[in-house]
Amino acid sequence: MESEKRKHTYGFISNLIFMIRELWNFEKKGVFVPFIRIPSDIAVSFLGIWIPKIVLDAIEHSVPVYEFVMQLSLLTIAMMVLMYVSYYMEQSIFMGSVRIWNLHFYIKKSWKIVDMDYPHFASPAGKTNIERSHQALSRNINVNMVSFYPHFIELMKNIFGFFSYCTILIMLNPVIILLLILSYVINVLLVLNIEKWQHHTKDERAKMDRQLDYVVSRTSDSSIAKDIRMYNMKTWINSMSEFFMEEQYNWQKKIASKRFMQVLFEALLLFVRNGGAYIFLIWKMLNNEISIGEFVLYFGAITGFGQWLEQIVSRIGRLSTANYKVYDYRYFIDTMDKMRRDEGASLPPVSEPVEVVLENVSFSYEGSNELILDHINLKIRKGEKLAVVGTNGAGKTTLVKLICGLLEPVSGRVLMNGIDIKEFNRDEYYSLITAVYQNVCLLPVSIAKNITFCSDSDIDWKKLNKCTELADIKGKIESFPNGFDTNLVPSVTDHGVELSGGENQKLMLARALYKDAPLIILDEPTAALDPIAENHMYLKYDELTENKTAIFISHRLSSTRFCDRIILINDKQIAETGTHDELMALSGKYKEIFDIQSQYYKNSVGEEAI
C-alpha cells in the first residue's frame, strides 16, 4: 500500500509541478525562457523545407532574379536570426541556470543526508535510497534529474512541430499521417517498457554500484594505505574490483541488448514507414498531381514529420528516465523523520548533571529479528561515572547510541530526568550530550574551528585554551607556527598538518569538553594513546567529568577503576554490576576477563619469561 501511495504521489504530473516550483523559486526566468525557443525552432524547421520550394518554383515560373534574390535573402536572414535566438536562449540563459540548479538539488540532498534520523541513514534500505539519490544527481546534467524540465520543453517543441507538419501533410493525404503515427506509437510503447524495466532493476544495480564504489574509494583512503601495502591487499582489491566490474558490465550488456533490439525495430519501422510514403509521393508527381516544388516540400515535410516523431519518441524515453530520477530524489528527500523535530519537552538545565534510566530496553536492527540488547534495565544517577565493559559485539556502542537518541529501542524506553527522550526535540536533545567516539571526524578547517565549530569571532578562547590543556593537546597545537589557526586534513587544505592517532583522540576530547554538555560519553577514548598519555587522562578523569554524568566504554578493564560503578554486558543483557572490587569478589565474567588481560603484566609471568 505504501509503495502504491508513493507511485501515485510521485507521478509525472506531480514531478512536473515539483520541478517547475523548484525552478520558479530558484530562478523565475528559467521557467519561461525555454518556451521562446519553441516557435523559433519550429520556424527554422519550416524555413528549411520551404526555401527549396521557393527556389524550384522560381525556376519553374521564371521569377525575375531581383525578386528571387530578395525573397531568398530575407528568408535566409530570418533563419539566421531565429537560429541565433534559439541558441542564445538555450546556452546563455537556460543551460546556465540548469547547471546551478543542479547544485541546488545536490546541496539539498547533502543536507538531507547529514540531517536525517540516524536509523534511516544507517539502515540497509536507507543506504540504498541514498545511493539512488546520488544516481539521480549524476554529474551529467543531460541525463540526471535536472534534465527533466529541458526534456519536457523539448517534448513540447516536438509536439508543436509535429502538429505544424500535420497541416502540410493533410493537404497531401490524411492517411499518411495515421500510418506514420501508428508506427511511432508502437515504438513509444517499446521505449517505455525498457525504461520501466531499468527502473525496476535500479535497487539491485544501486547495491552493486555501492559495492564497487566502496572498493574503489578504499584504494585512495590514506588511513588504510599502510595496510594495503603491508598485507598485499592489492590482489584482493583487484579481484573484488574485477568481480564488481564484471557484474556491472553484465548489467550494461543487458541494457545494451534491449537498446539494440529497440534500434533494430526502429530501423525496420523507418524502412516500411518512409519507404511507403516516398513511393506514394513519387506516384503523385508522375501523375502530375503535384509540382516539382510541391514534391520537394512534401518530401521535406514527410522527412521532417518523421524526425519530429522520432524526437518525440526519444524525448519520451529520456523524460521517462528523468522522471524516475526525480521520483528517486523526492522519495529520499521526503523520507520522514520519526524522531520529534517540532517543539518538545523542556530540557533539563545544562549546568547540572542528568539522570539516565533505561526501562526494559530491547533493540534489533531494521530487517533483523536478532536482538542486540534484550530487556536492559539501568539507572545512571546524576553525576555518576559509569563504566560499560564487555566483549566485542556485546552491544556496548549500541547501548550508547540508544542513550544518545541515535537509535530507538524496539521496546522499552530511555528516560532523562524522568522524561522519555522521545518527548524532547531531537536536535535540542543532542545539545545535552557530548561524545568521543572511536571514529575520528576531522574537517578541512583550522584546529580551533575543528574543536569549537564556531567562527573566529564567536570562539571563547579562554575556554578553548582550558579544554585543550585538560585534553593534553595544547602544547602540540602551540608547537605549530600558526597555532590554533593551523589547518587540518592536508590533502584538502593548504599548509595543513596531519596529527597522529593519539593526538586526534585528544583533539576529539577537547571538542567534547568545549561543548560542555551535562552528559559526556567516552567510547574507547584512550585506544590510540600511549601508556603515559593514557595514565595522564585517568588522573584527570575527575576534572574532565566534573559536574557531569559520564559513561566510559572500554575493553581494558584496568581502566575502569576510577569509575563509580561498572556494568558488564554479556548475552545481550547486563550480566554483572558493581565497583571493581565488588566484581572481582564476585568471581564472575568480569574477573575472568580481568585476569586474562592482566596476566601478562604480573611479575611472576614476567620472571618466568626472562
Side-chain angles (χ1 to χ4, degrees), residues 162-212:
F162 162 76
F163 282 112
S164 65
Y165 272 50
C166 280
T167 59
I168 299 176
L169 294 181
I170 284 176
M171 294 184 293
L172 179 64
N173 193 318
V175 176
I176 292 179
I177 297 175
L178 295 177
L179 293 175
L180 291 173
I181 291 175
L182 178 62
S183 68
Y184 278 98
V185 167
I186 296 172
N187 199 12
V188 167
L189 293 175
L190 180 62
V191 170
L192 291 178
N193 184 61
I194 293 174
E195 296 298 336
K196 185 177 181 180
W197 173 80
Q198 281 191 258
H199 180 67
H200 288 324
T201 59
K202 194 170 289 184
D203 282 352
E204 190 172 349
R205 289 184 287 122
K207 179 182 178 181
M208 174 199 62
D209 291 340
R210 191 170 69 248
Q211 292 170 330
L212 179 60

Side-chain angles (χ1 to χ4, degrees), residues 360-377:
N360 294 314
V361 169
S362 298
F363 178 79
S364 63
Y365 285 99
E366 183 180 354
S368 173
N369 295 323
E370 182 179 356
L371 290 175
I372 305 299
L373 296 173
D374 186 12
H375 289 87
I376 297 292
N377 287 283

Side-chain angles (χ1 to χ4, degrees), residues 303-349:
T303 302
F305 184 88
Q307 290 174 345
W308 287 120
L309 279 174
E310 285 176 4
Q311 291 179 36
I312 287 174
V313 173
S314 175
R315 290 296 172 181
I316 287 176
R318 296 179 186 179
L319 187 58
S320 176
T321 299
N323 182 57
Y324 284 127
K325 292 185 176 181
V326 175
Y327 171 97
D328 291 338
Y329 176 84
R330 294 183 67 189
Y331 187 96
F332 171 69
I333 291 295
D334 291 345
T335 299
M336 298 296 294
D337 289 327
K338 295 182 179 179
M339 299 177 183
R340 184 184 292 273
R341 303 302 299 272
D342 55 1
E343 185 176 354
S346 299
L347 296 178

Side-chain angles (χ1 to χ4, degrees), residues 2-18:
E2 180 64 20
S3 176
E4 292 301 318
K5 181 180 178 181
R6 290 284 188 182
K7 288 179 182 179
H8 176 74
T9 303
Y10 302 127
F12 175 80
I13 298 300
S14 174
N15 286 341
L16 176 61
I17 294 171
F18 168 78

Side-chain angles (χ1 to χ4, degrees), residues 280-482:
F280 175 72
L281 199 59
I282 293 171
W283 177 79
K284 288 186 74 70
M285 188 186 71
L286 293 176
N287 285 279
N288 296 319
E289 295 184 25
I290 56 175
S291 66
I292 296 177
E294 290 174 327
F295 173 85
V296 172
L297 175 64
Y298 289 134
F299 190 92
I302 290 174
T303 302
F305 184 88
Q307 290 174 345
W308 287 120
L309 279 174
E310 285 176 4
Q311 291 179 36
I312 287 174
V313 173
S314 175
R315 290 296 172 181
I316 287 176
R318 296 179 186 179
L319 187 58
S320 176
T321 299
N323 182 57
Y324 284 127
K325 292 185 176 181
V326 175
Y327 171 97
D328 291 338
Y329 176 84
R330 294 183 67 189
Y331 187 96
F332 171 69
I333 291 295
D334 291 345
T335 299
M336 298 296 294
D337 289 327
K338 295 182 179 179
M339 299 177 183
R340 184 184 292 273
R341 303 302 299 272
D342 55 1
E343 185 176 354
S346 299
L347 296 178
V350 296
S351 58
E352 300 176 5
V354 294
E355 177 189 79
V356 178
V357 176
L358 282 75
E359 294 182 348
N360 294 314
V361 169
S362 298
F363 178 79
S364 63
Y365 285 99
E366 183 180 354
S368 173
N369 295 323
E370 182 179 356
L371 290 175
I372 305 299
L373 296 173
D374 186 12
H375 289 87
I376 297 292
N377 287 283
L378 174 66
K379 181 177 182 179
I380 308 172
R381 298 181 298 274
K382 291 183 178 181
E384 184 178 14
K385 279 64 174 172
L386 177 75
V388 181
V389 299
T391 57
N392 289 332
K396 301 185 297 296
T397 299
T398 300
L399 177 70
V400 165
K401 288 180 179 179
L402 288 164
I403 293 173
C404 288
L406 294 174
L407 298 176
E408 287 191 329
V410 294
S411 63
R413 58 179 186 162
V414 179
L415 308 174
M416 179 174 283
N417 285 6
I419 301 174
D420 192 329
I421 63 173
K422 291 181 180 180
E423 299 301 317
F424 296 112
N425 172 278
R426 189 197 75 178
D427 301 305
E428 290 179 355
Y429 178 73
Y430 291 159
S431 68
L432 301 173
I433 304 168
T434 187
V436 178
Y437 296 110
Q438 296 180 45
N439 296 327
V440 175
C441 175
L442 299 177
L443 301 180
V445 293
S446 70
I447 291 175
K449 291 178 181 176
N450 260 286
I451 295 173
T452 65
F453 296 112
C454 297
S455 61
D456 291 336
S457 59
D458 294 329
I459 293 175
D460 185 337
W461 289 97
K462 181 179 179 181
K463 182 179 179 181
L464 177 59
N465 276 280
K466 180 181 178 182
C467 292
T468 52
E469 187 174 349
L470 282 172
D472 196 28
I473 189 66
K474 183 180 179 183
K476 181 64 178 181
I477 296 172
E478 292 179 338
S479 70
F480 298 126
N482 294 323

